[in-house]
Amino acid sequence: MRRGRPRKQGQDSDGTPVLALDRGLKLLSLLSQESRTSLKEISLRAGIPPPTAHRLLMTLQNRGFAEFDEFTQSWMIGVGAYRIGAGYLNQLNLIEEAQSVMHDLMSETGETANLAVHRNGDAIFVSQAETWHPIRAFHLPGARVNMHASAAGKAILAQMSQHEVESLLQRRGLPEFTSKSLTRPVELFAQLEEIRVRGWALDDEERYEGMRCIAAPIFGPRGKADSAISISGPSLRVADSRVAQLSTAVCTAAALLTTRLGGEPKASTMTIRQN
């Protein structure tokens, strides 16, 4: 026996809210406003029938987003909600901490400094310190690039397991943007191993012709690298003769940010080893 309304064509992709999810988030928001609350009170405030509210609260409890006190028969926010909020705060903290580091990196190298984070298979640029040169790289905040075609993306990929990278490639593929783009998995994995050893990644005109980038991963308190700092500029300025100097500056900036965020820099991000 089918229950509920029949799904309208396109309903799951036209932006229509999912009712159960919308109600669950409403309850979660109300729980965050009170230290403790009863089922009756929260159902009245949410405008949700008590049986439905109870089922939603039980689901939230199973996921750690809500807790129930048997003695007082009251509901409260769970530790799972704190973890989600902490993730958001960590990102804000990253951007805040990175401002001075990116400015110093830009001043030292003369090239635009960027901060990127990994989200859903893309490298997303979230902050930037622009160089004074009239010809320079520029990424709008929120701009997405394919991981395999950016120095920041490859710096992050190099810290992931082969299984994680393969899963990402199965979803996103290896599209070609220039004649230098890495379009074969064997080439990408070979380069990721080099990056893992030396601690920095190079985008050698793999996304935009005439543009080069150098990036190093930033490690969080749990040792995971979900972000990277980079410099980018015209290939004529980011020349082979400057790569050693520039990569050292980028790795130093990444290690500093890692330390400020409570992480531990890896040896390869502090010592440059040329091929």
Side-chain angles (χ1 to χ4, degrees):
M1 179 179 178
R2 294 191 304 171
R3 302 178 63 184
R5 296 181 179 177
R7 180 180 295 175
K8 296 180 181 179
Q9 185 176 2
Q11 186 174 359
D12 59 350
S13 60
D14 64 358
T16 303
V18 178
L19 183 57
L21 179 59
D22 187 63
R23 285 177 163 181
L25 291 174
K26 189 172 186 179
L27 291 178
L28 187 61
S29 177
L30 290 172
L31 286 175
S32 70
Q33 300 171 21
E34 303 287 344
S35 58
R36 294 172 183 268
T37 186
S38 66
L39 173 62
K40 180 179 180 180
E41 181 180 355
I42 196 170
S43 64
L44 286 173
R45 291 186 63 191
I48 301 173
T52 302
H54 185 259
R55 288 196 301 271
L56 292 169
L57 288 168
M58 291 293 291
T59 301
L60 291 172
Q61 183 184 31
N62 291 337
R63 291 290 184 175
F65 293 107
E67 295 179 7
F68 181 67
D69 187 328
E70 294 281 355
F71 181 74
T72 61
Q73 293 291 294
S74 58
W75 290 90
M76 66 198 82
I77 195 91
V79 69
Y82 169 77
R83 294 193 185 101
I84 297 295
Y88 176 72
L89 290 176
N90 285 341
Q91 180 168 315
L92 291 180
N93 190 46
L94 168 65
I95 295 173
E96 182 179 344
E97 290 289 350
Q99 296 304 309
S100 62
V101 177
M102 285 193 300
H103 183 270
D104 291 344
L105 180 61
M106 181 274 294
S107 298
E108 179 181 354
T109 64
E111 303 299 342
T112 297
N114 314 284
L115 180 68
V117 298
H118 173 216
R119 291 293 183 275
N120 299 320
D122 288 328
I124 303 177
F125 290 95
V126 294
S127 190
Q128 187 176 70
E130 288 189 69
T131 180
W132 58 84
H133 289 295
I135 300 176
R136 58 187 184 272
F138 180 74
H139 295 288
L140 288 171
R144 293 173 176 265
V145 296
N146 295 70
M147 299 282 280
H148 77 287
S150 73
K154 290 191 292 184
I156 296 170
L157 284 177
Q159 309 308 317
M160 297 166 62
S161 70
Q162 181 163 333
H163 174 71
E164 288 175 314
V165 177
E166 288 176 347
S167 296
L168 188 151
L169 295 185
Q170 288 170 1
R171 292 186 287 113
R172 306 307 300 274
L174 291 170
E176 181 177 354
F177 299 101
T178 73
S179 61
K180 292 188 175 182
S181 298
L182 299 175
T183 57
R184 298 174 58 212
V186 65
E187 294 174 335
L188 176 62
F189 280 111
Q191 194 168 122
L192 293 182
E193 180 58 32
E194 293 179 7
I195 295 168
R196 192 175 298 113
V197 171
R198 71 190 181 192
W200 54 272
L202 173 68
D203 164 12
D204 186 12
E205 302 185 43
E206 296 158 41
R207 183 63 178 86
Y208 301 105
E209 292 183 356
M211 191 67 62
R212 276 182 141 188
C213 305
I214 297 173
I218 301 166
F219 297 92
R222 297 182 180 179
K224 189 174 182 180
D226 277 329
S227 58
I229 190 169
S230 70
I231 58 101
S232 53
S235 300
L236 289 175
R237 290 206 306 262
V238 187
D240 289 342
S241 60
R242 295 187 68 205
V243 166
Q245 170 204 347
L246 295 174
S247 58
T248 297
V250 172
C251 286
T252 300
L256 177 58
L257 264 177
T258 292
T259 301
R260 287 188 178 182
L261 294 171
E264 184 175 344
K266 290 192 176 182
S268 58
T269 63
M270 301 172 69
T271 303
I272 305 304
R273 290 184 283 183
Q274 292 180 282
N275 293 332

